Amino acid sequence: MATRPDQPQTQRSSSQAVKTTTAVAVGGSLMFLSGLIGLVLATPLLVIFSPVLVPAAVTIFLILAGFFVCGGLGVTASFIFYWMFRYATGKHPIGADQLDRVREKIARASFIFYWMFRYATGKNPIGADQLNRAKEKIADAAKEMKDKAEDFGRQEAKEMKDKAEQFGQQVANEMKDKAEHLEEMKDKAENFGQQAAKEMKDKAENFGQQALQQIKGFRA
């Protein structure tokens, strides 16, 4: 049976992997044991020298913390100065667009407040004349509208008054005509009553006379 040429290489790789694994396991165990033994041996010394070691450790920690804080602040300041240099030289660093927009908004707001302050204090800033003319035009337009409204109100009131007077006169004339008509009706009714009463009286007298004559005729 023929042996393939890649078998020795595979066997060597397997043996190297086993050796490496064994070495790592043994080395890790020895390191753990040595650290444990060192901790056991150093514990009495740490307990004895703790009044000195603890302040020293705290001091070293504070020194290192201050060093790192100063280093961080220095790095931050360096980055800020680098960013400002790039921004000042027109190289458009990160965040330059947002800063430009904020600066434009602040500049517009500052200019508006400054302009309003100068206008309020009577220092006549740029555009104050146009604003005053616009205010005068608005005041004139408002006055004109007020006058027109008053004229319109007076005209409407006059028209309403005239219409009311005309309507009242018409109603009065109609009532007067009706009253005259009623007077005529009253006169006619009185005349009719008098005539009817006279006719009834005449008929009653005639009837009485006829009745008397008939009674006299019966007696005779």
Side-chain angles (χ1 to χ4, degrees), residues 7 9 16 21 27 36-37 43 48 56 70 92 103 112 125 142 144 161 171 174 177 182 193 200 202 207 219:
Q7 286 183 352
Q9 186 176 0
Q16 288 179 359
T21 304
L36 184 62
I37 293 170
T43 299
I48 293 170
C70 292
H92 198 73
R103 187 181 63 181
I112 291 170
E144 185 178 357
K161 182 180 178 181
V171 171
E174 290 179 358
D177 295 336
L182 290 173
M200 290 294 292
D202 294 337
F207 179 76
R219 288 179 178 179

mmCIF file with all atom_site columns, all heavy atoms in Angstrom, residues 7 9 16 21 27 36-37 43 48 56 70 92 103 112 125 142 144 161 171 174 177 182 193 200 202 207 219:
data_model
loop_
_atom_site.group_PDB
_atom_site.id
_atom_site.type_symbol
_atom_site.label_atom_id
_atom_site.label_alt_id
_atom_site.label_comp_id
_atom_site.label_asym_id
_atom_site.label_entity_id
_atom_site.label_seq_id
_atom_site.pdbx_PDB_ins_code
_atom_site.Cartn_x
_atom_site.Cartn_y
_atom_site.Cartn_z
_atom_site.occupancy
_atom_site.B_iso_or_equiv
_atom_site.pdbx_formal_charge
_atom_site.auth_seq_id
_atom_site.auth_comp_id
_atom_site.auth_asym_id
_atom_site.auth_atom_id
_atom_site.pdbx_PDB_model_num
ATOM 1   N N   . GLN A 1 7   ? 0.953    12.768  4.549  1.00 0.00 ? 7   GLN A N   1
ATOM 2   C CA  . GLN A 1 7   ? 0.756    12.187  5.867  1.00 0.00 ? 7   GLN A CA  1
ATOM 3   C C   . GLN A 1 7   ? 1.825    12.602  6.863  1.00 0.00 ? 7   GLN A C   1
ATOM 4   O O   . GLN A 1 7   ? 1.517    12.914  8.012  1.00 0.00 ? 7   GLN A O   1
ATOM 5   C CB  . GLN A 1 7   ? 0.674    10.661  5.755  1.00 0.00 ? 7   GLN A CB  1
ATOM 6   C CG  . GLN A 1 7   ? -0.657   10.171  5.161  1.00 0.00 ? 7   GLN A CG  1
ATOM 7   C CD  . GLN A 1 7   ? -0.727   8.665   5.132  1.00 0.00 ? 7   GLN A CD  1
ATOM 8   O OE1 . GLN A 1 7   ? 0.276    7.974   5.421  1.00 0.00 ? 7   GLN A OE1 1
ATOM 9   N NE2 . GLN A 1 7   ? -1.904   8.144   4.776  1.00 0.00 ? 7   GLN A NE2 1
ATOM 10  N N   . GLN A 1 9   ? 3.497    15.392  7.066  1.00 0.00 ? 9   GLN A N   1
ATOM 11  C CA  . GLN A 1 9   ? 3.229    16.786  7.439  1.00 0.00 ? 9   GLN A CA  1
ATOM 12  C C   . GLN A 1 9   ? 2.054    16.884  8.386  1.00 0.00 ? 9   GLN A C   1
ATOM 13  O O   . GLN A 1 9   ? 2.066    17.630  9.368  1.00 0.00 ? 9   GLN A O   1
ATOM 14  C CB  . GLN A 1 9   ? 2.970    17.618  6.177  1.00 0.00 ? 9   GLN A CB  1
ATOM 15  C CG  . GLN A 1 9   ? 2.826    19.113  6.449  1.00 0.00 ? 9   GLN A CG  1
ATOM 16  C CD  . GLN A 1 9   ? 2.676    19.888  5.152  1.00 0.00 ? 9   GLN A CD  1
ATOM 17  O OE1 . GLN A 1 9   ? 2.691    19.296  4.070  1.00 0.00 ? 9   GLN A OE1 1
ATOM 18  N NE2 . GLN A 1 9   ? 2.534    21.205  5.278  1.00 0.00 ? 9   GLN A NE2 1
ATOM 19  N N   . GLN A 1 16  ? 2.745    18.867  16.944 1.00 0.00 ? 16  GLN A N   1
ATOM 20  C CA  . GLN A 1 16  ? 3.019    20.233  17.382 1.00 0.00 ? 16  GLN A CA  1
ATOM 21  C C   . GLN A 1 16  ? 1.825    20.827  18.131 1.00 0.00 ? 16  GLN A C   1
ATOM 22  O O   . GLN A 1 16  ? 1.985    21.517  19.143 1.00 0.00 ? 16  GLN A O   1
ATOM 23  C CB  . GLN A 1 16  ? 3.367    21.108  16.179 1.00 0.00 ? 16  GLN A CB  1
ATOM 24  C CG  . GLN A 1 16  ? 4.726    20.802  15.592 1.00 0.00 ? 16  GLN A CG  1
ATOM 25  C CD  . GLN A 1 16  ? 5.032    21.664  14.374 1.00 0.00 ? 16  GLN A CD  1
ATOM 26  O OE1 . GLN A 1 16  ? 4.204    22.474  13.968 1.00 0.00 ? 16  GLN A OE1 1
ATOM 27  N NE2 . GLN A 1 16  ? 6.216    21.468  13.782 1.00 0.00 ? 16  GLN A NE2 1
ATOM 28  N N   . THR A 1 21  ? -0.502   22.578  23.189 1.00 0.00 ? 21  THR A N   1
ATOM 29  C CA  . THR A 1 21  ? -1.586   22.526  24.171 1.00 0.00 ? 21  THR A CA  1
ATOM 30  C C   . THR A 1 21  ? -1.074   22.103  25.534 1.00 0.00 ? 21  THR A C   1
ATOM 31  O O   . THR A 1 21  ? -1.434   22.679  26.575 1.00 0.00 ? 21  THR A O   1
ATOM 32  C CB  . THR A 1 21  ? -2.676   21.565  23.697 1.00 0.00 ? 21  THR A CB  1
ATOM 33  O OG1 . THR A 1 21  ? -3.128   21.960  22.392 1.00 0.00 ? 21  THR A OG1 1
ATOM 34  C CG2 . THR A 1 21  ? -3.853   21.554  24.651 1.00 0.00 ? 21  THR A CG2 1
ATOM 35  N N   . GLY A 1 27  ? 2.154    25.449  31.602 1.00 0.00 ? 27  GLY A N   1
ATOM 36  C CA  . GLY A 1 27  ? 2.621    26.803  31.941 1.00 0.00 ? 27  GLY A CA  1
ATOM 37  C C   . GLY A 1 27  ? 1.566    27.585  32.703 1.00 0.00 ? 27  GLY A C   1
ATOM 38  O O   . GLY A 1 27  ? 1.868    28.291  33.678 1.00 0.00 ? 27  GLY A O   1
ATOM 39  N N   . LEU A 1 36  ? -0.263   31.972  43.385 1.00 0.00 ? 36  LEU A N   1
ATOM 40  C CA  . LEU A 1 36  ? -0.907   31.642  44.649 1.00 0.00 ? 36  LEU A CA  1
ATOM 41  C C   . LEU A 1 36  ? 0.108    31.559  45.774 1.00 0.00 ? 36  LEU A C   1
ATOM 42  O O   . LEU A 1 36  ? -0.099   32.076  46.879 1.00 0.00 ? 36  LEU A O   1
ATOM 43  C CB  . LEU A 1 36  ? -1.672   30.324  44.487 1.00 0.00 ? 36  LEU A CB  1
ATOM 44  C CG  . LEU A 1 36  ? -2.496   29.858  45.698 1.00 0.00 ? 36  LEU A CG  1
ATOM 45  C CD1 . LEU A 1 36  ? -3.583   30.887  46.029 1.00 0.00 ? 36  LEU A CD1 1
ATOM 46  C CD2 . LEU A 1 36  ? -3.122   28.503  45.404 1.00 0.00 ? 36  LEU A CD2 1
ATOM 47  N N   . ILE A 1 37  ? 1.256    30.904  45.476 1.00 0.00 ? 37  ILE A N   1
ATOM 48  C CA  . ILE A 1 37  ? 2.313    30.799  46.496 1.00 0.00 ? 37  ILE A CA  1
ATOM 49  C C   . ILE A 1 37  ? 2.853    32.173  46.843 1.00 0.00 ? 37  ILE A C   1
ATOM 50  O O   . ILE A 1 37  ? 3.095    32.509  48.015 1.00 0.00 ? 37  ILE A O   1
ATOM 51  C CB  . ILE A 1 37  ? 3.427    29.859  45.992 1.00 0.00 ? 37  ILE A CB  1
ATOM 52  C CG1 . ILE A 1 37  ? 2.882    28.421  45.876 1.00 0.00 ? 37  ILE A CG1 1
ATOM 53  C CG2 . ILE A 1 37  ? 4.634    29.905  46.913 1.00 0.00 ? 37  ILE A CG2 1
ATOM 54  C CD1 . ILE A 1 37  ? 3.826    27.475  45.153 1.00 0.00 ? 37  ILE A CD1 1
ATOM 55  N N   . THR A 1 43  ? 1.305    37.845  51.819 1.00 0.00 ? 43  THR A N   1
ATOM 56  C CA  . THR A 1 43  ? 0.207    38.329  52.663 1.00 0.00 ? 43  THR A CA  1
ATOM 57  C C   . THR A 1 43  ? 0.702    38.859  54.005 1.00 0.00 ? 43  THR A C   1
ATOM 58  O O   . THR A 1 43  ? 0.286    39.948  54.433 1.00 0.00 ? 43  THR A O   1
ATOM 59  C CB  . THR A 1 43  ? -0.826   37.211  52.864 1.00 0.00 ? 43  THR A CB  1
ATOM 60  O OG1 . THR A 1 43  ? -1.358   36.830  51.600 1.00 0.00 ? 43  THR A OG1 1
ATOM 61  C CG2 . THR A 1 43  ? -1.953   37.671  53.777 1.00 0.00 ? 43  THR A CG2 1
ATOM 62  N N   . ILE A 1 48  ? 1.737    43.617  57.379 1.00 0.00 ? 48  ILE A N   1
ATOM 63  C CA  . ILE A 1 48  ? 2.670    44.365  58.242 1.00 0.00 ? 48  ILE A CA  1
ATOM 64  C C   . ILE A 1 48  ? 2.886    45.775  57.701 1.00 0.00 ? 48  ILE A C   1
ATOM 65  O O   . ILE A 1 48  ? 2.860    46.766  58.439 1.00 0.00 ? 48  ILE A O   1
ATOM 66  C CB  . ILE A 1 48  ? 4.002    43.600  58.363 1.00 0.00 ? 48  ILE A CB  1
ATOM 67  C CG1 . ILE A 1 48  ? 3.784    42.275  59.136 1.00 0.00 ? 48  ILE A CG1 1
ATOM 68  C CG2 . ILE A 1 48  ? 5.055    44.452  59.080 1.00 0.00 ? 48  ILE A CG2 1
ATOM 69  C CD1 . ILE A 1 48  ? 4.974    41.349  59.097 1.00 0.00 ? 48  ILE A CD1 1
ATOM 70  N N   . ALA A 1 56  ? 0.687    55.024  50.186 1.00 0.00 ? 56  ALA A N   1
ATOM 71  C CA  . ALA A 1 56  ? 1.536    55.096  48.998 1.00 0.00 ? 56  ALA A CA  1
ATOM 72  C C   . ALA A 1 56  ? 0.750    54.716  47.745 1.00 0.00 ? 56  ALA A C   1
ATOM 73  O O   . ALA A 1 56  ? 0.864    55.358  46.687 1.00 0.00 ? 56  ALA A O   1
ATOM 74  C CB  . ALA A 1 56  ? 2.738    54.165  49.170 1.00 0.00 ? 56  ALA A CB  1
ATOM 75  N N   . CYS A 1 70  ? -4.531   65.299  33.157 1.00 0.00 ? 70  CYS A N   1
ATOM 76  C CA  . CYS A 1 70  ? -3.780   66.367  32.484 1.00 0.00 ? 70  CYS A CA  1
ATOM 77  C C   . CYS A 1 70  ? -3.460   65.997  31.044 1.00 0.00 ? 70  CYS A C   1
ATOM 78  O O   . CYS A 1 70  ? -3.553   66.825  30.136 1.00 0.00 ? 70  CYS A O   1
ATOM 79  C CB  . CYS A 1 70  ? -2.492   66.647  33.252 1.00 0.00 ? 70  CYS A CB  1
ATOM 80  S SG  . CYS A 1 70  ? -2.765   67.378  34.879 1.00 0.00 ? 70  CYS A SG  1
ATOM 81  N N   . HIS A 1 92  ? -12.195  73.245  6.394  1.00 0.00 ? 92  HIS A N   1
ATOM 82  C CA  . HIS A 1 92  ? -13.517  72.655  6.604  1.00 0.00 ? 92  HIS A CA  1
ATOM 83  C C   . HIS A 1 92  ? -13.448  71.371  7.430  1.00 0.00 ? 92  HIS A C   1
ATOM 84  O O   . HIS A 1 92  ? -13.706  70.265  6.927  1.00 0.00 ? 92  HIS A O   1
ATOM 85  C CB  . HIS A 1 92  ? -14.168  72.365  5.246  1.00 0.00 ? 92  HIS A CB  1
ATOM 86  C CG  . HIS A 1 92  ? -15.658  72.171  5.342  1.00 0.00 ? 92  HIS A CG  1
ATOM 87  N ND1 . HIS A 1 92  ? -16.525  73.208  5.556  1.00 0.00 ? 92  HIS A ND1 1
ATOM 88  C CD2 . HIS A 1 92  ? -16.421  71.043  5.276  1.00 0.00 ? 92  HIS A CD2 1
ATOM 89  C CE1 . HIS A 1 92  ? -17.753  72.734  5.606  1.00 0.00 ? 92  HIS A CE1 1
ATOM 90  N NE2 . HIS A 1 92  ? -17.717  71.432  5.443  1.00 0.00 ? 92  HIS A NE2 1
ATOM 91  N N   . ARG A 1 103 ? -23.480  80.168  14.120 1.00 0.00 ? 103 ARG A N   1
ATOM 92  C CA  . ARG A 1 103 ? -22.903  81.511  14.130 1.00 0.00 ? 103 ARG A CA  1
ATOM 93  C C   . ARG A 1 103 ? -23.778  82.483  13.345 1.00 0.00 ? 103 ARG A C   1
ATOM 94  O O   . ARG A 1 103 ? -23.971  83.641  13.754 1.00 0.00 ? 103 ARG A O   1
ATOM 95  C CB  . ARG A 1 103 ? -21.499  81.466  13.514 1.00 0.00 ? 103 ARG A CB  1
ATOM 96  C CG  . ARG A 1 103 ? -20.726  82.773  13.615 1.00 0.00 ? 103 ARG A CG  1
ATOM 97  C CD  . ARG A 1 103 ? -19.380  82.652  12.976 1.00 0.00 ? 103 ARG A CD  1
ATOM 98  N NE  . ARG A 1 103 ? -19.527  82.389  11.539 1.00 0.00 ? 103 ARG A NE  1
ATOM 99  C CZ  . ARG A 1 103 ? -18.492  82.210  10.709 1.00 0.00 ? 103 ARG A CZ  1
ATOM 100 N NH1 . ARG A 1 103 ? -17.256  82.242  11.179 1.00 0.00 ? 103 ARG A NH1 1
ATOM 101 N NH2 . ARG A 1 103 ? -18.701  81.974  9.426  1.00 0.00 ? 103 ARG A NH2 1
ATOM 102 N N   . ILE A 1 112 ? -30.459  91.903  15.124 1.00 0.00 ? 112 ILE A N   1
ATOM 103 C CA  . ILE A 1 112 ? -31.854  92.333  15.344 1.00 0.00 ? 112 ILE A CA  1
ATOM 104 C C   . ILE A 1 112 ? -31.983  93.051  16.684 1.00 0.00 ? 112 ILE A C   1
ATOM 105 O O   . ILE A 1 112 ? -32.584  94.133  16.778 1.00 0.00 ? 112 ILE A O   1
ATOM 106 C CB  . ILE A 1 112 ? -32.793  91.128  15.261 1.00 0.00 ? 112 ILE A CB  1
ATOM 107 C CG1 . ILE A 1 112 ? -32.851  90.606  13.812 1.00 0.00 ? 112 ILE A CG1 1
ATOM 108 C CG2 . ILE A 1 112 ? -34.198  91.496  15.737 1.00 0.00 ? 112 ILE A CG2 1
ATOM 109 C CD1 . ILE A 1 112 ? -33.566  89.289  13.669 1.00 0.00 ? 112 ILE A CD1 1
ATOM 110 N N   . PRO A 1 125 ? -31.163  103.863 13.306 1.00 0.00 ? 125 PRO A N   1
ATOM 111 C CA  . PRO A 1 125 ? -30.330  102.900 12.577 1.00 0.00 ? 125 PRO A CA  1
ATOM 112 C C   . PRO A 1 125 ? -30.757  102.791 11.117 1.00 0.00 ? 125 PRO A C   1
ATOM 113 O O   . PRO A 1 125 ? -31.700  103.449 10.663 1.00 0.00 ? 125 PRO A O   1
ATOM 114 C CB  . PRO A 1 125 ? -30.574  101.598 13.337 1.00 0.00 ? 125 PRO A CB  1
ATOM 115 C CG  . PRO A 1 125 ? -31.942  101.770 13.897 1.00 0.00 ? 125 PRO A CG  1
ATOM 116 C CD  . PRO A 1 125 ? -32.078  103.224 14.229 1.00 0.00 ? 125 PRO A CD  1
ATOM 117 N N   . ALA A 1 142 ? -55.162  103.382 8.492  1.00 0.00 ? 142 ALA A N   1
ATOM 118 C CA  . ALA A 1 142 ? -56.094  103.080 9.577  1.00 0.00 ? 142 ALA A CA  1
ATOM 119 C C   . ALA A 1 142 ? -57.062  104.243 9.811  1.00 0.00 ? 142 ALA A C   1
ATOM 120 O O   . ALA A 1 142 ? -58.269  104.043 10.027 1.00 0.00 ? 142 ALA A O   1
ATOM 121 C CB  . ALA A 1 142 ? -55.319  102.766 10.860 1.00 0.00 ? 142 ALA A CB  1
ATOM 122 N N   . GLU A 1 144 ? -57.933  106.496 7.575  1.00 0.00 ? 144 GLU A N   1
ATOM 123 C CA  . GLU A 1 144 ? -58.839  106.545 6.427  1.00 0.00 ? 144 GLU A CA  1
ATOM 124 C C   . GLU A 1 144 ? -59.931  105.492 6.555  1.00 0.00 ? 144 GLU A C   1
ATOM 125 O O   . GLU A 1 144 ? -61.112  105.762 6.295  1.00 0.00 ? 144 GLU A O   1
ATOM 126 C CB  . GLU A 1 144 ? -58.045  106.336 5.148  1.00 0.00 ? 144 GLU A CB  1
ATOM 127 C CG  . GLU A 1 144 ? -58.872  106.476 3.881  1.00 0.00 ? 144 GLU A CG  1
ATOM 128 C CD  . GLU A 1 144 ? -58.013  106.314 2.640  1.00 0.00 ? 144 GLU A CD  1
ATOM 129 O OE1 . GLU A 1 144 ? -56.781  106.153 2.786  1.00 0.00 ? 144 GLU A OE1 1
ATOM 130 O OE2 . GLU A 1 144 ? -58.574  106.353 1.537  1.00 0.00 ? 144 GLU A OE2 1
ATOM 131 N N   . LYS A 1 161 ? -82.923  105.844 9.406  1.00 0.00 ? 161 LYS A N   1
ATOM 132 C CA  . LYS A 1 161 ? -83.833  106.823 9.988  1.00 0.00 ? 161 LYS A CA  1
ATOM 133 C C   . LYS A 1 161 ? -84.882  107.261 8.981  1.00 0.00 ? 161 LYS A C   1
ATOM 134 O O   . LYS A 1 161 ? -86.084  107.345 9.296  1.00 0.00 ? 161 LYS A O   1
ATOM 135 C CB  . LYS A 1 161 ? -83.032  108.017 10.475 1.00 0.00 ? 161 LYS A CB  1
ATOM 136 C CG  . LYS A 1 161 ? -83.876  109.079 11.154 1.00 0.00 ? 161 LYS A CG  1
ATOM 137 C CD  . LYS A 1 161 ? -83.003  110.234 11.610 1.00 0.00 ? 161 LYS A CD  1
ATOM 138 C CE  . LYS A 1 161 ? -83.856  111.326 12.256 1.00 0.00 ? 161 LYS A CE  1
ATOM 139 N NZ  . LYS A 1 161 ? -83.027  112.476 12.679 1.00 0.00 ? 161 LYS A NZ  1
ATOM 140 N N   . VAL A 1 171 ? -97.544  104.126 7.776  1.00 0.00 ? 171 VAL A N   1
ATOM 141 C CA  . VAL A 1 171 ? -98.430  103.464 8.737  1.00 0.00 ? 171 VAL A CA  1
ATOM 142 C C   . VAL A 1 171 ? -99.429  104.458 9.314  1.00 0.00 ? 171 VAL A C   1
ATOM 143 O O   . VAL A 1 171 ? -100.623 104.156 9.491  1.00 0.00 ? 171 VAL A O   1
ATOM 144 C CB  . VAL A 1 171 ? -97.584  102.806 9.844  1.00 0.00 ? 171 VAL A CB  1
ATOM 145 C CG1 . VAL A 1 171 ? -98.479  102.292 10.969 1.00 0.00 ? 171 VAL A CG1 1
ATOM 146 C CG2 . VAL A 1 171 ? -96.749  101.659 9.275  1.00 0.00 ? 171 VAL A CG2 1
ATOM 147 N N   . GLU A 1 174 ? -102.007 105.186 6.710  1.00 0.00 ? 174 GLU A N   1
ATOM 148 C CA  . GLU A 1 174 ? -102.933 104.066 6.602  1.00 0.00 ? 174 GLU A CA  1
ATOM 149 C C   . GLU A 1 174 ? -103.887 104.020 7.792  1.00 0.00 ? 174 GLU A C   1
ATOM 150 O O   . GLU A 1 174 ? -105.092 103.781 7.637  1.00 0.00 ? 174 GLU A O   1
ATOM 151 C CB  . GLU A 1 174 ? -102.141 102.761 6.495  1.00 0.00 ? 174 GLU A CB  1
ATOM 152 C CG  . GLU A 1 174 ? -101.396 102.602 5.171  1.00 0.00 ? 174 GLU A CG  1
ATOM 153 C CD  . GLU A 1 174 ? -100.599 101.321 5.111  1.00 0.00 ? 174 GLU A CD  1
ATOM 154 O OE1 . GLU A 1 174 ? -100.606 100.576 6.123  1.00 0.00 ? 174 GLU A OE1 1
ATOM 155 O OE2 . GLU A 1 174 ? -99.976  101.052 4.068  1.00 0.00 ? 174 GLU A OE2 1
ATOM 156 N N   . ASP A 1 177 ? -106.392 106.796 7.341  1.00 0.00 ? 177 ASP A N   1
ATOM 157 C CA  . ASP A 1 177 ? -107.407 106.417 6.351  1.00 0.00 ? 177 ASP A CA  1
ATOM 158 C C   . ASP A 1 177 ? -108.396 105.423 6.929  1.00 0.00 ? 177 ASP A C   1
ATOM 159 O O   . ASP A 1 177 ? -109.623 105.527 6.726  1.00 0.00 ? 177 ASP A O   1
ATOM 160 C CB  . ASP A 1 177 ? -106.732 105.844 5.107  1.00 0.00 ? 177 ASP A CB  1
ATOM 161 C CG  . ASP A 1 177 ? -105.886 106.894 4.389  1.00 0.00 ? 177 ASP A CG  1
ATOM 162 O OD1 . ASP A 1 177 ? -106.175 108.096 4.560  1.00 0.00 ? 177 ASP A OD1 1
ATOM 163 O OD2 . ASP A 1 177 ? -104.930 106.503 3.673  1.00 0.00 ? 177 ASP A OD2 1
ATOM 164 N N   . LEU A 1 182 ? -113.535 104.173 9.240  1.00 0.00 ? 182 LEU A N   1
ATOM 165 C CA  . LEU A 1 182 ? -114.350 103.749 10.380 1.00 0.00 ? 182 LEU A CA  1
ATOM 166 C C   . LEU A 1 182 ? -115.344 104.839 10.797 1.00 0.00 ? 182 LEU A C   1
ATOM 167 O O   . LEU A 1 182 ? -116.474 104.536 11.195 1.00 0.00 ? 182 LEU A O   1
ATOM 168 C CB  . LEU A 1 182 ? -113.442 103.389 11.564 1.00 0.00 ? 182 LEU A CB  1
ATOM 169 C CG  . LEU A 1 182 ? -112.618 102.103 11.405 1.00 0.00 ? 182 LEU A CG  1
ATOM 170 C CD1 . LEU A 1 182 ? -111.642 101.960 12.576 1.00 0.00 ? 182 LEU A CD1 1
ATOM 171 C CD2 . LEU A 1 182 ? -113.528 100.880 11.330 1.00 0.00 ? 182 LEU A CD2 1
ATOM 172 N N   . GLY A 1 193 ? -129.333 103.235 11.607 1.00 0.00 ? 193 GLY A N   1
ATOM 173 C CA  . GLY A 1 193 ? -130.087 102.975 12.841 1.00 0.00 ? 193 GLY A CA  1
ATOM 174 C C   . GLY A 1 193 ? -131.243 103.955 13.018 1.00 0.00 ? 193 GLY A C   1
ATOM 175 O O   . GLY A 1 193 ? -132.356 103.559 13.411 1.00 0.00 ? 193 GLY A O   1
ATOM 176 N N   . MET A 1 200 ? -139.423 101.779 12.045 1.00 0.00 ? 200 MET A N   1
ATOM 177 C CA  . MET A 1 200 ? -140.094 100.926 13.023 1.00 0.00 ? 200 MET A CA  1
ATOM 178 C C   . MET A 1 200 ? -141.139 101.718 13.801 1.00 0.00 ? 200 MET A C   1
ATOM 179 O O   . MET A 1 200 ? -142.246 101.209 14.105 1.00 0.00 ? 200 MET A O   1
ATOM 180 C CB  . MET A 1 200 ? -139.042 100.337 13.990 1.00 0.00 ? 200 MET A CB  1
ATOM 181 C CG  . MET A 1 200 ? -138.132 99.310  13.347 1.00 0.00 ? 200 MET A CG  1
ATOM 182 S SD  . MET A 1 200 ? -138.987 97.795  12.827 1.00 0.00 ? 200 MET A SD  1
ATOM 183 C CE  . MET A 1 200 ? -139.426 97.102  14.407 1.00 0.00 ? 200 MET A CE  1
ATOM 184 N N   . ASP A 1 202 ? -142.731 104.442 12.771 1.00 0.00 ? 202 ASP A N   1
ATOM 185 C CA  . ASP A 1 202 ? -143.877 104.730 11.883 1.00 0.00 ? 202 ASP A CA  1
ATOM 186 C C   . ASP A 1 202 ? -144.746 103.484 11.717 1.00 0.00 ? 202 ASP A C   1
ATOM 187 O O   . ASP A 1 202 ? -145.983 103.557 11.766 1.00 0.00 ? 202 ASP A O   1
ATOM 188 C CB  . ASP A 1 202 ? -143.386 105.213 10.519 1.00 0.00 ? 202 ASP A CB  1
ATOM 189 C CG  . ASP A 1 202 ? -142.684 106.576 10.627 1.00 0.00 ? 202 ASP A CG  1
ATOM 190 O OD1 . ASP A 1 202 ? -142.955 107.309 11.608 1.00 0.00 ? 202 ASP A OD1 1
ATOM 191 O OD2 . ASP A 1 202 ? -141.829 106.885 9.750  1.00 0.00 ? 202 ASP A OD2 1
ATOM 192 N N   . PHE A 1 207 ? -149.612 100.605 12.808 1.00 0.00 ? 207 PHE A N   1
ATOM 193 C CA  . PHE A 1 207 ? -150.214 99.362  13.288 1.00 0.00 ? 207 PHE A CA  1
ATOM 194 C C   . PHE A 1 207 ? -151.138 99.653  14.462 1.00 0.00 ? 207 PHE A C   1
ATOM 195 O O   . PHE A 1 207 ? -152.244 99.089  14.569 1.00 0.00 ? 207 PHE A O   1
ATOM 196 C CB  . PHE A 1 207 ? -149.099 98.386  13.700 1.00 0.00 ? 207 PHE A CB  1
ATOM 197 C CG  . PHE A 1 207 ? -149.623 97.083  14.227 1.00 0.00 ? 207 PHE A CG  1
ATOM 198 C CD1 . PHE A 1 207 ? -150.139 96.121  13.358 1.00 0.00 ? 207 PHE A CD1 1
ATOM 199 C CD2 . PHE A 1 207 ? -149.631 96.823  15.590 1.00 0.00 ? 207 PHE A CD2 1
ATOM 200 C CE1 . PHE A 1 207 ? -150.642 94.934  13.863 1.00 0.00 ? 207 PHE A CE1 1
ATOM 201 C CE2 . PHE A 1 207 ? -150.139 95.634  16.068 1.00 0.00 ? 207 PHE A CE2 1
ATOM 202 C CZ  . PHE A 1 207 ? -150.641 94.681  15.207 1.00 0.00 ? 207 PHE A CZ  1
ATOM 203 N N   . ARG A 1 219 ? -166.813 97.672  18.102 1.00 0.00 ? 219 ARG A N   1
ATOM 204 C CA  . ARG A 1 219 ? -167.713 98.249  19.099 1.00 0.00 ? 219 ARG A CA  1
ATOM 205 C C   . ARG A 1 219 ? -168.977 98.820  18.434 1.00 0.00 ? 219 ARG A C   1
ATOM 206 O O   . ARG A 1 219 ? -170.061 98.764  18.979 1.00 0.00 ? 219 ARG A O   1
ATOM 207 C CB  . ARG A 1 219 ? -167.042 99.338  19.892 1.00 0.00 ? 219 ARG A CB  1
ATOM 208 C CG  . ARG A 1 219 ? -166.014 98.797  20.867 1.00 0.00 ? 219 ARG A CG  1
ATOM 209 C CD  . ARG A 1 219 ? -165.379 99.955  21.607 1.00 0.00 ? 219 ARG A CD  1
ATOM 210 N NE  . ARG A 1 219 ? -164.404 99.429  22.587 1.00 0.00 ? 219 ARG A NE  1
ATOM 211 C CZ  . ARG A 1 219 ? -163.680 100.233 23.371 1.00 0.00 ? 219 ARG A CZ  1
ATOM 212 N NH1 . ARG A 1 219 ? -163.811 101.565 23.295 1.00 0.00 ? 219 ARG A NH1 1
ATOM 213 N NH2 . ARG A 1 219 ? -162.813 99.695  24.229 1.00 0.00 ? 219 ARG A NH2 1
#
